[in-house]
Amino acid sequence: MYTRFVEPGRLALITYGPCAGKMCTIVDIVDQKRVVVDGPQSVTGVGRHMMPVRRLSLTDFSAKLARGAREKSLKTALEREEILKKWSATAWAKKLAAKEVRSKMTDFDRFKLMTVKKARAKSARGALKKAKK
């Protein structure tokens, strides 16, 4: 059954536009296709603005929030329920963080990673060879 509803307080990931990859919270519903989202700016870097629902990926997390809540009450609700802390513990968030780390690697970082992987594969082959004997 579908449980990720578009509702005030729902945590969402912005998938397109200038804020792509950032987390936001739905604050108000404008119509069938548009919502008002807010970061808040001090926490996630997303200011309050209107956005189409199709540019959002809804998460499982939702804060108790009144429709059209102010930034201060949004911030306290997120902190009280530790929504962003719960989000960062999910596999989805960890995967996004790992993707960001990989994209920011330098050429030397990629080289170091390659040598470590080669060494690990060599030791695994050696252990497998010993186990076969």
Side-chain angles (χ1 to χ4, degrees), residues 2-13 24-38 49-63 65-68:
Y2 189 74
T3 56
R4 294 181 184 174
F5 298 110
V6 177
E7 59 185 344
R10 177 69 59 183
L11 190 70
L13 176 72
C24 68
T25 308
I26 296 174
V27 176
D28 200 357
I29 299 165
V30 178
D31 59 22
Q32 194 74 20
K33 294 185 177 187
R34 293 177 299 168
V35 293
V36 175
V37 297
D38 195 353
H49 65 284
M50 192 165 41
M51 175 167 265
V53 175
R54 69 175 183 266
R55 292 185 179 185
L56 298 173
S57 288
L58 302 177
T59 65
D60 290 330
F61 304 105
S62 181
L65 200 65
R67 193 172 165 206

